[in-house]
Amino acid sequence: KAAKAQSTEKQLKEKLTGALNKKAAKAQSKKMQVTQKVSEALNQNQKAAKAQSKEKQLKEKLTGALNKKAAKAQSKKMQVTQKPSEALNQNQKAAKAQSKEKQLKEK
């Protein structure tokens, strides 16, 4: 009887140990999956952040280039606007000088 009870106890211990090991293995597997998912999520976040940073740099470059072009165009426009007004001033001065000359001749 004692031997039988001991044998039954041993079997129960083995079953319990097996069940616990199975549970532990399952928990470990779940933990690994969660760790992997977290790692993948972090990688995705890093990639997204990198892409966003790159996009920001490109936008800044483009904006800089556009601002440079606009400034150049504005400068050119100013020059073009200035030249005719300078020419007008020259014409006015010449007309004044001619008028003065004519007045002096008439006197």
Side-chain angles (χ1 to χ4, degrees), residues 7-105:
S7 170
T8 306
E9 188 183 342
K10 190 179 176 190
Q11 284 177 340
L12 286 173
K13 275 186 183 174
E14 284 170 1
K15 263 190 183 175
L16 183 60
T17 304
L20 289 174
N21 285 345
K22 215 175 189 179
K23 267 210 158 134
K26 218 175 189 176
Q28 184 64 29
S29 169
K30 192 77 173 171
K31 185 181 172 187
M32 291 288 282
Q33 286 176 347
V34 169
T35 304
Q36 195 175 354
K37 281 184 180 172
V38 168
S39 174
E40 285 171 9
L42 285 173
N43 283 343
Q44 288 292 84
N45 284 350
Q46 284 175 337
K47 282 180 184 174
K50 219 176 191 175
Q52 225 172 7
S53 171
K54 192 78 172 172
E55 187 183 348
K56 190 179 176 189
Q57 286 175 346
L58 289 174
K59 276 184 183 173
E60 285 170 359
K61 264 189 184 173
L62 182 60
T63 303
L66 289 173
N67 286 344
K68 218 175 190 178
K69 269 209 158 129
K72 218 174 192 177
Q74 184 64 29
S75 169
K76 193 78 174 169
K77 184 180 171 188
M78 292 289 281
Q79 287 174 355
V80 168
T81 307
Q82 204 173 1
K83 283 180 182 170
S85 72
E86 285 172 6
L88 283 173
N89 285 344
Q90 290 295 339
N91 286 347
Q92 285 174 341
K93 283 180 184 172
K96 225 178 193 177
Q98 238 174 0
S99 170
K100 194 89 163 174
E101 195 179 313
K102 192 177 176 186
Q103 283 175 356
L104 288 174
K105 278 184 183 175

